[in-house]
């Protein structure tokens, strides 16, 4: 990377960057060793980093690994060296020192999910409010969309111009872009699962959101996930076209598979009343917000373990028999994102309740939805606190009849 000018270097908080990186957590990777020693010798390490940056630090290329995504697919995750991570955080923290803190908590994500519902209630004509029911609304559709491989395609040139417009710190921005290009080996892309990348991505995707709002759409965003309220289906299609155009101008594309237009009443049912439950453990902060919503939220009726048992027992498999009362059960051969999160919420409730009532139905989860296996195993172990022998039988059957990869066992 290019040398960092002394005027910038004097203002970098290298010791703070070292300590922050040591405490950071990459949710899809195991903890990196050695950070405790870095913190123990933080003054000496910061002094060494300062000398390296002043002369143009020699960087090591990132090593990319593929990790499992849920419910399906893989995510490329780059592994950076310690010196590169420290420099990255220090530069980003300096450049964005006047930006508001980033809130990607589960609570913020739930607020985002509820924004179209709140908006629909606020714009209801006063003359209709007396007769309004929960499902009556002038909003008839909600556009759900996100960006394909967002972090992978952040253009460094566009990012630099946006940062310059916001901050004016041209020398520091040049150093940052130089570091990204040197480590990534290309002029686009941000390393995923880094706090600094999250902050930079927020600056970048704000370009798309601003464009969408200027076009007059009632829109909300969480990271690269968008929601748009639409009054009719034609309105929803127009919104998708405008969002696609705004993304394209920033060098991004919408995900076709994740762009949907559910009716307002269905969207309301799927997202109404969700809250982060009181028993959520400290590990919640280590999860992606979408995962936290899947594991540690509860909606209306979901505090009752009987709800969770019904969700699991009503799941359907190809060619299987289904009770008439369960015709609306989730088809395990084709589980969508919202359904996956519902299954995970149900398993989470059963794990906390330690009830064994759903044990007869978990084999089909392990067989048809492999990415649920870590939660399925946790449930069988928890159910064993109440019914030891049936739980052992189920666990033996999972091991005997279902091929488990290392990730499925340990994930």
């Amino acid at each position: 990377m290019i040398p960092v000018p002394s005027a910038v270097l004097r203002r970098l908080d290298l010791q703070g960057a070292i300590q922050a990186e040591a405490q950071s957590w990459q949710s899809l990777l195991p903890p990196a060793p050695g950070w405790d020693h870095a913190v123990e010798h933080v003054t000496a390490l910061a002094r060494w980093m300062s000398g390296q940056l002043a002369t143009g630090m020699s960087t090591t290329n990132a090593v990319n690994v593929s990790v499992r995504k849920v419910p399906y697919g893989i995510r490329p995750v780059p592994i950076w060296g310690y010196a590169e991570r420290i420099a990255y955080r220090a530069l980003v923290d300096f450049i964005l020192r006047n930006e508001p803190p980033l809130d990607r908590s589960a609570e913020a994500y739930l607020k985002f999910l509820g924004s179209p519902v709140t908006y629909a209630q606020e714009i209801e004509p006063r003359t209709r409010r007396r007769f309004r029911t929960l499902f009556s609304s002038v909003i008839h559709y909600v556009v759900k969309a996100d960006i394909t491989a967002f972090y992978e395609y952040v253009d460094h040139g566009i990012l630099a111009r946006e940062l310059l417009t916001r901050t004016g710190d041209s020398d520091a921005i040049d150093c940052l872009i130089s570091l990204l290009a040197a480590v990534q080996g290309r002029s686009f892309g941000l390393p995923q699962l880094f706090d600094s990348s999250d902050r930079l991505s927020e600056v970048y995707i704000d370009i798309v959101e601003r464009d969408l709002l200027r076009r007059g759409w009632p829109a909300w965003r969480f990271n690269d996930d968008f929601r748009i309220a639409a009054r009719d289906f034609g309105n929803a299609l127009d919104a998708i076209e405008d969002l696609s155009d705004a993304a394209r101008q920033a060098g991004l594309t919408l995900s076709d598979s994740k762009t949907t237009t559910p009716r307002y009443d269905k969207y309301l049912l799927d997202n109404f009343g969700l809250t982060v439950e009181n028993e959520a453990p400290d590990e919640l902060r280590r999860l992606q917000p979408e995962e936290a919503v899947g594991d540690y939220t509860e909606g209306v009726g979901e505090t009752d373990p009987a709800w969770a048992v019904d969700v699991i027992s009503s799941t359907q498999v190809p060619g299987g028999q289904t009770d008439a009362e369960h015709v609306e059960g989730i088809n395990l051969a084709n589980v969508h994102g919202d359904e996956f999160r519902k299954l995970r919420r149900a398993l989470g409730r059963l794990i906390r309740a330690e009830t064994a009532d759903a044990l007869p139905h978990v084999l089909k989860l392990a067989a048809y939805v492999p990415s649920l296996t870590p939660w399925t195993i946790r449930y069988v172990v928890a159910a064993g606190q109440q019914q030891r022998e049936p739980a052992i039988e189920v666990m033996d059957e999972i091991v005997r009849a279902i091929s488990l990869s290392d990730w499925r066992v340990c994930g």
Side-chain angles (χ1 to χ4, degrees):
M1 64 176 291
I2 63 175
V4 177
S6 57
V8 174
L9 189 57
R10 285 196 301 270
R11 302 179 67 184
L12 295 184
D13 182 10
L14 292 172
Q15 291 193 27
I18 294 168
Q19 293 168 338
E21 280 299 302
Q23 296 171 2
S24 65
W25 178 270
Q26 292 177 279
S27 61
L28 298 179
L29 294 175
W35 281 109
D36 53 340
H37 298 291
V39 172
E40 184 179 351
H41 303 285
V42 63
T43 302
L45 180 55
R47 185 166 54 249
W48 178 83
M49 282 291 306
S50 179
Q52 293 294 307
L53 293 172
T55 57
M57 185 174 70
S58 297
T59 59
T60 302
N61 292 339
V63 176
N64 291 294
V65 297
S66 296
V67 298
R68 301 277 184 173
K69 289 178 63 175
V70 292
Y72 303 109
I74 59 173
R75 170 182 291 177
V77 176
I79 299 176
W80 280 34
Y82 289 11
E84 289 81 4
R85 286 176 58 173
I86 295 167
Y88 187 35
R89 183 182 284 269
L91 285 166
V92 171
D93 285 353
F94 170 69
I95 294 169
L96 299 181
R97 62 192 180 279
N98 295 321
E99 292 288 316
L102 186 61
D103 183 5
R104 289 197 177 166
S105 64
E107 290 83 358
Y109 185 68
L110 288 178
K111 182 179 180 181
F112 158 74
L113 293 179
S115 293
V117 176
T118 302
Y119 172 78
Q121 294 170 346
E122 290 174 348
I123 66 170
E124 190 77 21
R126 289 185 179 274
T127 55
R128 294 180 52 187
R129 290 185 184 180
R130 285 182 58 190
F131 310 101
R132 181 179 65 194
T133 66
L134 190 61
F135 296 98
S136 66
S137 173
V138 295
I139 298 300
H140 292 141
Y141 290 89
V142 176
V143 174
K144 299 170 57 178
D146 74 3
I147 304 297
T148 299
F150 170 42
Y151 280 61
E152 287 289 292
Y153 292 105
V154 168
D155 184 282
H156 294 171
I158 296 175
L159 174 63
R161 290 194 294 273
E162 181 68 13
L163 289 171
L164 186 61
T165 300
R166 288 178 177 237
T167 70
D169 294 311
S170 58
D171 288 341
I173 293 168
D174 288 343
C175 293
L176 171 64
I177 299 303
S178 170
L179 173 65
L180 283 170
V183 181
Q184 299 280 93
R186 58 190 187 186
S187 61
F188 59 92
L190 296 176
Q192 296 197 53
L193 306 183
F194 288 170
D195 296 340
S196 299
S197 293
D198 291 342
R199 299 188 69 190
L200 291 177
S201 72
E202 191 72 10
V203 170
Y204 195 92
I205 198 64
D206 186 57
I207 300 171
V208 179
E209 184 182 13
R210 290 200 310 263
D211 192 339
L212 198 59
L213 294 174
R214 289 189 186 114
R215 300 182 193 218
W217 291 107
W220 302 267
R221 177 183 60 79
F222 186 92
N223 195 8
D224 65 330
D225 203 357
F226 287 85
R227 297 291 184 270
I228 307 172
R231 293 175 180 266
D232 54 51
F233 190 65
N235 196 231
L237 295 181
D238 290 340
I240 292 173
E241 290 183 5
D242 281 352
L243 176 56
S244 179
D245 182 61
R248 190 163 49 249
Q249 292 187 38
L252 305 170
T253 58
L254 290 186
S255 169
D256 291 338
S257 63
K258 295 182 180 180
T259 299
T260 59
T261 55
R263 293 188 63 88
Y264 175 79
D265 53 356
K266 182 181 186 306
Y267 185 87
L268 179 59
L269 279 173
D270 289 342
N271 298 283
F272 178 74
L274 289 179
T275 58
V276 178
E277 46 104 346
N278 293 329
E279 300 173 23
D282 292 338
E283 68 188 56
L284 178 63
R285 67 183 179 84
R286 298 178 174 178
L287 299 174
Q288 298 294 302
E290 298 87 344
E291 297 174 11
V293 167
D295 288 352
Y296 298 113
T297 58
E298 294 171 337
V300 176
E302 295 180 9
T303 57
D304 185 357
W307 167 85
V309 173
D310 187 63
V311 169
I312 302 302
S313 62
S314 66
T315 52
Q316 304 174 37
V317 299
Q321 298 296 319
T322 305
D323 294 339
E325 62 178 312
H326 288 152
V327 293
E328 297 298 326
I330 296 171
N331 179 8
L332 295 182
N334 187 26
V335 177
H336 301 293
D338 289 341
E339 294 172 333
F340 182 86
R341 286 189 286 272
K342 185 176 183 179
L343 288 170
R344 215 162 54 179
R345 283 207 304 273
L347 286 172
R349 169 45 51 193
L350 293 173
I351 290 168
R352 292 187 290 278
E354 295 185 349
T355 178
D357 294 349
L359 270 177
H361 305 279
V362 298
L363 282 175
K364 54 186 176 181
L365 296 183
Y368 283 92
V369 194
S371 47
L372 273 177
T373 303
W375 290 270
T376 303
I377 298 297
R378 287 167 56 197
Y379 166 60
V380 175
V381 172
Q385 302 298 318
Q386 299 296 326
Q387 295 188 21
R388 180 179 176 84
E389 293 303 321
I392 291 175
E393 291 177 6
V394 170
M395 189 72 77
D396 287 344
E397 187 66 13
I398 290 176
V399 173
R400 185 191 67 80
I402 301 172
S403 176
L404 300 179
S405 67
D406 290 343
W407 176 83
R408 291 178 67 181
V409 173
C410 302

